[in-house]
Every structure is written in structure tokens, then in C-alpha cells.
Amino acid sequence: MAKPKVAFYWCASCGGCEEAVVDLNEDILKVADAVDIVLWPVALDFKRKDIEALSDGEIAVSFINGAVRTEEQEEMVKLLRQKSGLVVAFGSCAHLGGIPGLANFYSREEIFQRAYKEAPTVDNPEGITPQLRVKEGAWEFELPEFYDTVKTLDQTIPVDYYLPGCPPPPDLIMNAVNAILTGQLPEKGAVLAPNKALCDTCPRAETKPEKLSITDIKRPWEIKLDPEKCFLDQGIICLGPATRSGCGETCIRANMPCRGCFGPVDGVIDQGAKALSMIASILGVEGEEKMSEADVNKLLDRLVDPGGTFYRFSLPASLLRRKRMEGVRE
Ligand code: SF4
Ligand code: SF4
């Protein structure tokens, strides 16, 4: 019997999701044995025309990581959608926009200005920025359009399942592969990870006071972190209450607070707003004594980069989606 065809593709991402597949170690041999990989740009030399030659729906499942930032990425995910029975948004960037999605705080012009003209390591006296078409002698080159706005995968094509994480951990990847191969899949649209907040599985949960109160905000490098105690109780912003579990509490076990890469639990439409309201509810409450408004404002000044803190992985998927700017297309 023919093995099911599987594709892996990357859009705007760092390559970590590709590493996560390689991190399956010997399990990758089981996957390679059970399926026929038809596209995997990081490891195998298949081309776009190979995918175009397949019938519609012929690929059993496409795992697509990365956010959608360029015209080429949009074309490729639309092609993979057409050729695939199932599409899985693989990792935070495909799921919620991820770190590349933080670029939605800027316009394309601002990004080009910084990356190609102002960055301290740039040497570009003529101020050349990427052009859609360039002619050099007999050669003509084309570049895909770099869009103004970073999108999640499901803002571009319909997505069947989501594997969260930056990157998704090997056990969740294997569970997803096994569920697909055996047809034991949950309802379409499901996030393939437990529907519980990270605080519920955190090894420090017992040290999280029932009535939390933050009267100072610190950054992890500013204090000697207690390796047993809840980060919030140490005045360190931890997004555990607003984040889905399933990662194995990786950061917490490495004595770092959660940054939210698994996204929210079901039913939460804006992870950043959820985290923000959680922090607001514990800010400046000290015993029966409430801090004055002026002191709370001073405390808020200690919150460096609130946008990047609360929407680190989820800005494109949030209600904000991007910073509003004159002339910027959605
Ligand atoms: S806030 Fe962070 S450290 Fe505290 S219990 Fe939740 S996940 Fe653990
Ligand atoms: S602790 Fe938070 S940021 Fe770290 S891997 Fe888990 S969900 Fe992601």
C-alpha cells in the first residue's frame, strides 16, 4: 500500500521548528518509514514544480511553520492547501504570528530603513533597498513582495490543526503524527496540546500565593532568582496564567519565566489582553494597603516593552493585529 504523503514547509521563521523535527531523534526514522516525504526544503531537494505536479488533496498532511510575510510564502501555502488533505500550523509563528509577528509594530518602510540603512553593521552608501525587479546586464531578477503586515497561517488559508510552541516539543509532534496516521484526530480546529493553563502543571504552582500582589517589577537578570518560587511572587513577569500547558514547563525548569509561546487556552481570543488583565489585577495590591496611583504609574514604568512582553508570540492573532499606521495595508 502506498504510504501517506507528507510535506514540511517553512515561511517566516527562524528554523527552530525544523530543528524540532530533527530533535525527534530515532523517532524520525519511524516517521520516515511510515510516510513518503514530498517536500522538506531544509533537508530534501524537492521543488515547487514537484508539488504542482501532484493531484489536489494528494498530500495527506502538510506541516507548515512560520508566519506569512511575503508573496512567495502566500503562494506556497495556498498551493499546499490545495494539494493537502490536512494542514497543520506547526509552531508559534504559524499558529499566532510568533516573534516575526512583532514586526507588526512597524511598517515595511520602517523595517527597510532600519535593516538596510540605519543598523550599525550596515554598509550601504547608496541606500539600496530590496526591489521587486532588478535588471543587471542580460539578467533580470525578481523578488517576492515583502508585505506590510505579518499574518498567521489561518489568516491566509484554512488550517485543520495547530501544534503550538516555539518550537513544538518532540512528544507533541509524535502524538500528532500518530493521531494523523491512525485517524484518531480531535475535532477540526483543535490545538494539539492540553487545554489547561501552564500554572496548573507548573512545578512551582504550590508556591504561587492565592492572593498575589506585585509591588515591584524586576527583570530576570536584576535579581538572584529563587529556583523554587513562583516567578510572579518574585516580581518577575511570568505569562503562565495566560498560557496553554504542554511544553513540559521547559523555561520554568531552566529557571526562566514563561513568555507565552504555547498561546492561550481554548476560548481566549487575545492572549496578550488576558496576560495584561492578569498583571493589572495583582499590581500594587499590598495586604490591605493599596498603592497610590502615582506609585502604580512608577511601577508601570518598570515594565519594559509592554507590547513585546504581552504579545511576544501573538500580535498578528490578537485583536490589535498590528499598529495602526497611515498608508499601511492590512
Ligand atoms: S506564574 Fe509562572 S512560575 Fe508561577 S505558577 Fe504560574 S507558570 Fe509557575
Ligand atoms: S514555559 Fe512558556 S515560553 Fe517556555 S516553552 Fe513553555 S509555553 Fe513556551
Side-chain angles (χ1 to χ4, degrees):
M1 206 176 81
K3 295 182 199 173
K5 292 184 171 59
V6 170
F8 295 97
Y9 193 68
W10 50 5
C11 294
S13 65
C14 67
C17 283
E18 307 292 336
E19 290 286 331
V21 177
V22 177
D23 276 353
L24 292 175
N25 297 323
E26 62 275 9
D27 279 346
I28 197 162
L29 298 176
K30 289 187 203 154
V31 175
D33 214 30
V35 304
D36 185 8
I37 299 175
V38 295
L39 181 73
W40 194 12
V42 77
L44 303 170
D45 191 24
F46 292 108
K47 305 288 188 215
R48 178 172 171 156
K49 64 177 168 35
D50 299 316
I51 301 302
E52 285 167 343
L54 298 173
S55 316
D56 288 358
E58 191 174 337
I59 302 172
V61 54
S62 283
F63 293 97
I64 301 177
N65 72 68
V68 180
R69 156 112 269 178
T70 69
E71 188 183 8
E72 181 191 32
Q73 290 157 357
E74 184 181 17
E75 285 172 14
M76 278 304 292
V77 301
K78 285 183 173 166
L79 176 64
L80 285 166
R81 176 67 276 184
Q82 182 189 336
K83 303 293 178 180
S84 308
L86 294 175
V87 167
V88 176
F90 188 103
S92 306
C93 303
H95 179 200
L96 304 164
I99 299 284
L102 286 172
N104 283 358
F105 281 123
Y106 303 91
S107 67
R108 171 177 46 197
E109 275 61 40
E110 287 171 319
I111 292 167
F112 279 13
Q113 179 73 16
R114 175 72 189 156
Y116 295 100
K117 297 180 185 172
E118 293 172 356
T121 50
V122 168
D123 180 13
N124 181 9
E126 290 169 48
I128 296 170
T129 54
Q131 306 296 309
L132 288 182
R133 262 173 213 86
V134 176
K135 222 170 171 319
E136 277 288 331
W139 299 95
E140 194 161 350
F141 304 95
E142 271 187 36
L143 278 180
E145 187 179 350
F146 183 96
Y147 293 144
D148 252 320
T149 298
V150 176
K151 289 187 177 167
T152 65
L153 188 61
D154 68 5
Q155 286 166 351
T156 309
I157 55 167
V159 166
D160 299 297
Y161 296 104
Y162 301 83
L163 251 175
C166 179
D171 61 329
L172 289 192
I173 300 174
M174 273 318 284
N175 288 350
V177 169
N178 288 332
I180 290 164
L181 290 178
T182 56
Q184 291 172 329
L185 281 160
E187 233 180 273
K188 287 247 173 112
V191 176
L192 303 175
N195 190 24
K196 271 183 182 178
L198 188 71
C199 285
D200 293 339
T201 60
C202 177
R204 303 185 187 198
E206 282 186 8
T207 67
K208 184 177 163 195
E210 216 158 280
K211 270 200 163 179
L212 254 174
S213 163
I214 296 188
T215 51
D216 193 9
I217 293 175
K218 300 170 201 110
R219 304 188 83 188
W221 50 269
E222 290 179 321
I223 55 166
K224 192 167 184 318
L225 295 168
D226 183 327
E228 312 276 327
K229 199 169 162 188
C230 171
F231 284 105
L232 286 174
D233 201 30
Q234 299 182 61
I236 303 282
I237 303 291
C238 180
L239 296 198
T243 301
R244 184 184 291 268
S245 61
C247 64
E249 305 83 35
T250 319
C251 301
I252 312 284
R253 290 178 198 279
N255 207 15
M256 275 290 132
C258 173
R259 300 306 195 192
C261 81
F262 258 54
V265 293
D266 291 354
V268 174
I269 50 172
D270 191 314
Q271 183 188 18
K274 169 97 180 157
L276 188 59
S277 67
M278 175 274 291
I279 294 294
S281 71
I282 59 174
L283 211 55
V285 189
E286 196 175 23
E288 297 308 307
E289 291 287 311
K290 287 218 167 131
M291 286 170 81
S292 70
E293 197 175 324
D295 283 343
V296 170
N297 283 338
K298 261 195 230 151
L299 190 54
L300 286 176
D301 288 341
R302 302 263 303 139
L303 190 54
V304 180
D305 185 15
T309 300
F310 297 117
Y311 289 97
R312 183 171 304 219
F313 292 95
S314 65
L315 182 61
S318 72
L319 294 170
L320 302 175
R321 218 162 148 179
R322 68 158 298 117
K323 188 173 174 185
R324 280 202 167 272
M325 285 173 209
E326 203 63 32
V328 167
R329 282 166 297 141
E330 284 291 309

